[in-house]
Amino acid sequence: MRVLLLYPKFPKSFWSFEKALELVGRKAMLPPLGLATVAAILPQTWEFKLADHNVRSITEAEWEWADLVILSAMIVQKEDFLAQIQEAKRRGKRVAVGGPYATALPHEAATCGADFLILDEGEITLPMFVEAVERGDRAGTFRADGQNRM
Ligand code: B12
């Protein structure tokens, strides 16, 4: 399984510190720690590429390479998160989402076309997702309490 881990753009806000980042020669304040953790929990036989949209664009080669696109976001990243789900679906990719935004408002990612909603604590729900993918499921919602609710 070839997985593209995609971290959506943050808009300009109090927390984006553009001027401070410019002074220290950086493009983003923090690395996408959530997605790095997700990659560490998923089977290590899968292949991963991480693209932080705050730092660079996703290349055509990366889109083509991916079997599955996994996104994480806070609500503040909503605009690019939903746009990237749509872009991945337009390219015929399977899409899985998780993290604070998807967990708070799962119907928004679902309405945009996300196939897998991996909600609550990834440490609990990612193994459920892996089991489903290995069974051949094409979609699903996974919650820490085991209930398949949105
Ligand atoms: C550090 C932090 C910050 C930092 C750094 C943010 C950053 N760029 O990473 C700062 C101080 C900048 C910040 C700011 C804000 N934050 Co903040 N922040 C946190 C905090 C305390 C920890 C996040 C973290 O890095 N954790 C460590 C990493 C390893 O974990 P993680 O990213 O959460 O990922 C884990 C899970 O979420 C999950 N997961 C994540 N992604 C995915 C994807 C998949 C597919 C799966 C299965 C699982 C999964 O698995 C991971 C491993 O456990 C959390 C609260 C908390 N305790 O979690 C709030 C939190 C993420 N922040 C929040 C908010 C609201 C904000 C602000 C909007 C606040 C404001 N009003 O301005 C701003 C927005 C930032 C911006 N740039 O505009 C909310 C998000 C709510 C939501 N539903 O979106 C949280 C959850 C706090 C809360 N309970 O309200 N924040």
Side-chain angles (χ1 to χ4, degrees):
M1 178 76 71
R2 292 192 296 260
V3 184
L4 178 63
L5 300 156
L6 203 166
Y7 200 49
K9 275 185 198 153
F10 283 99
K12 274 191 188 172
S13 75
F14 172 82
W15 292 106
S16 44
F17 294 122
E18 299 86 57
K19 288 291 163 200
L21 286 170
E22 215 177 286
L23 286 174
V24 293
R26 305 261 176 204
K27 290 181 180 165
M29 197 171 68
L30 284 172
L33 297 178
L35 283 176
T37 309
V38 165
I41 296 170
L42 288 171
Q44 297 304 294
T45 46
W46 292 11
E47 293 173 64
F48 302 98
K49 282 186 199 288
L50 176 64
D52 182 349
H53 214 197
N54 296 287
V55 171
R56 64 175 182 85
S57 308
I58 294 101
T59 66
E60 276 304 317
E62 283 171 329
W63 280 121
E64 261 176 50
W65 171 87
D67 301 317
L68 171 69
V69 180
I70 298 186
L71 298 103
S72 164
M74 291 193 224
I75 289 172
V76 70
Q77 290 159 283
K78 173 178 177 151
E79 193 181 329
D80 195 38
F81 174 76
L82 299 178
Q84 295 307 319
I85 294 175
Q86 284 172 331
E87 181 60 21
K89 291 312 296 174
R90 192 182 67 76
R91 292 167 180 271
K93 304 295 173 184
R94 264 186 299 164
V95 175
V97 299
Y101 174 29
T103 296
L105 296 162
H107 59 281
E108 297 196 2
T111 306
C112 254
D115 304 292
F116 293 100
L117 305 176
I118 318 168
L119 309 177
D120 306 321
E121 293 82 9
E123 288 81 351
I124 299 171
T125 51
L126 280 163
M128 301 176 190
F129 162 69
V130 172
E131 235 181 271
V133 168
E134 283 171 355
R135 265 199 313 266
D137 292 4
R138 307 292 298 173
T141 300
F142 312 97
R143 303 231 61 150
D145 62 6
Q147 303 291 314
N148 194 352
R149 75 193 143 72
M150 290 253 276

